[in-house]
Amino acid sequence: MAESDDLRDDSSFPLGAVSKGFRGRIVEVGRLADADATDPDAFSEELERRLLEIGFVEGAVVEILHEGFWGRDPIAIRVDDMSVALRRREANAVWVRADASSSVSR
Amino acid sequence: MSSWPSDAFRFALVGNPNCGKTALFNTLTGKRQKVANYPGVTVESKRGRLTTPSGRKMVAVDLPGTYSLRGRSPDEAVTRRAITGEMADEPMPDLIVCVVDATNLRLSLRLALELKATGVPVMIALNMIDIAKARGITIDVEGLARELDLDVIPTIAVEKSGTEALVTAIDHVAQSAHPRSTPHWHEQSAEEVRAAHQFVNELVNRHVQTPVHSDRWTRRIDNVLLHPVWGILVLLLVLFFIFQAVFSWSQPAMDAIKYGFDSLGDTVKTTLPEGMLSSLLADGIIAGVGSVIVFLPQILVLFFFIILLEDFGYMARAAFLMDRIIGGVGLHGRSFIPLLSSFACAIPGIMATRVIDNRRQRLATIMVAPLMTCSARIPVYTLIIGAFVPETNIFGIINLQGLVMFGLYAVGIVSAFLVAWVFRVFVWNGKSEPFIMELPSYKRPSLQSVAMNVLQRAFVFLRRAGTTILSMMVLIWFLASVPGAPEGATDPAINYSFAGMIGHFLQPVLAPIGFNWQIAVALIPGMAAREVAVGALATVYALGSDEGALSTVISAHWSLATALSLLAWYVFAPQCASTLSVVKRETNSWTWPVAMFVYLIGLAYAAAFLVHGVTEAFAS
């Protein structure tokens, strides 16, 4: 996971903020988006571990496949070999960066 | 299971949800299964027996699907506690068969590592190897086995021949079974989970080749089924079709069952001398159990579709599409299907909540399921609407009777949402659970496995009808028939019975909501099933079973306020002993059925009181 060493630069953003068609890589799991920092439900180590356990791990390739009809929420995400549905609020704990190499193949 | 030696070799199937674990369990054990609830949790345990080709008798345990052994609630901890032998009535397994989805290795292998770390012997069943091959995934099985230091056996769960190698391997382990060490487990930190992922990633990179687009079909199907517009249209079509099927396909069978129970009751009445025994058999047991069994065809059809769509992979999509709407009140996207099923009957609805892995959301779904207008309410609604609501059209197109019926359905749905919301805010202090759900790739369902699961559900339902429901029916019959009418009595016999006494006793309490003593008495046998109240009313008014006459009588005897009040009562009232007994079984505690009864009675009384008062104010 060499990529995850130089995290937290300006080009990463929470997965909950991206739109359908986005492709990228996870750079960090468990950091809270500033907007949710005051929301006690939004983040916990519990959520971090649950996200990790279902495959949201640093370095994984993600792609937003679908968005819900109402408020474009929840979102369906391709994570490596599987698809997972998440609400955007939970997705905000996953930080991603657009991936140049995977964008080319789109 | 009594015929199996208690020291028989036991193996537990453990794996991610959607890994084909239950299909494998069904193929391995066939019909020799036993389903029971673990004490203290809402999760069921499935045990099955099998005999290996060498003649060894074994017990297989199907444990709940999970992504990790860490469980936050007692329900989620079942898998871990069963493995480590902490579960009462569940001896520690001699072997864990970790069922691994060959098309989605990473998560499964991480679980396999966690299992291996417990010290219990582990073997890997590399399941759905056929699908992986078809998708062009190549797996170096020996390489994986070597690096994991575990036996890895490719399996195809849906085919008997696809499990032979696994049975042989398990038999081999059983042969050389040696004294086991005490299992140990510690909760993994986030960093440990990351490290395990990294190890598995490297392993997969070395031994598995996956084409870039390995699962084109799932992507293509999802482009339609998860589409914001088309997806919802398809969902509505699917629901429409299921409802059509539930109500029309099952009708002939329901008629046949009703006819069967009716004629059985008549036969008993004509053959046995008139008296208590004949009445107990005919009016109590046969009629009572018949009024519940009559829903079996609907339940079977409903479960057939639910299980078929679940195995195909569609249920997770339906949950995705509906999550935003029902998630707002604290339910789970997966609550949608159980609630929908409850429009046919709350019993299969409550049984279908097993797909919700979160305990709180599952309980909230169970608690609001009876608010969905089940088909047993339809005869009651039809009777009252037919007698009191004029058959006029509003604006020339909307039928007033139809509108009232629609309104009753709508009130049920809206109240379910409100109750779920109140539940979330006051019972669970506003905590909302995260929605994290795998969208499994689509799979061709195995009809054999679907049929087996449907039959299992039917069996559970019948066992309920045969035990708890039967005793309820006998009790209700007893109340409605004992003591009998005195000599020369002019009123129907039920008036002199305990039900009559209870009805008369309750009448002052029910007077503020406009119920006369006839209604109060009819509500007691109506506890058997809602539609029984119609027949009971006819009995109280001494009319026999002519429902046309009943309509005339009640329209002459009741005020409009009373009629509407009874409608409001039936939207909420827990007039169904079977539902309460199923809640008892599914939640494995008396707390929830009692809480359900109390809150529904409260709502029913309040709604009826309000409707009665408002109608009287306007009508006068």
Side-chain angles (χ1 to χ4, degrees), chain B residues 369-432:
Chain B
L371 291 170
M372 301 291 135
T373 304
C374 66
S375 46
R377 283 180 177 96
I378 296 174
V380 181
Y381 287 176
T382 312
L383 171 74
I384 301 174
I385 290 176
F388 286 91
V389 180
E391 213 176 319
T392 49
N393 284 347
I394 307 175
F395 311 123
I397 41 166
I398 305 166
N399 177 290
L400 186 60
Q401 292 190 332
L403 187 68
V404 172
M405 190 66 126
F406 176 81
L408 292 169
Y409 273 82
V411 170
I413 297 168
V414 171
S415 345
F417 278 58
L418 286 176
V419 170
W421 181 80
V422 167
F423 229 67
R424 181 188 145 189
V425 172
F426 294 101
V427 183
W428 288 318
N429 305 322
K431 278 221 174 82
S432 75

Side-chain angles (χ1 to χ4, degrees), chain B residues 234-303:
Chain B
V234 171
L235 178 63
L236 291 176
L237 274 175
V238 168
L239 299 182
F240 180 76
F241 180 76
I242 294 178
F243 264 62
Q244 279 294 309
V246 165
F247 286 105
S248 63
W249 294 5
S250 47
Q251 201 54 52
M254 291 176 80
D255 291 343
I257 291 174
K258 189 165 162 28
Y259 178 80
F261 275 95
D262 283 352
S263 33
L264 187 66
D266 289 345
T267 316
V268 167
K269 276 196 163 167
T270 47
T271 38
L272 287 180
E274 199 172 318
M276 278 319 229
L277 180 66
S278 146
S279 173
L280 168 66
L281 282 176
D283 303 330
I285 296 175
I286 296 172
V289 172
S291 67
V292 177
I293 304 266
V294 75
F295 294 107
L296 183 63
Q298 282 192 343
I299 290 175
L300 284 177
V301 174
L302 196 63
F303 267 109

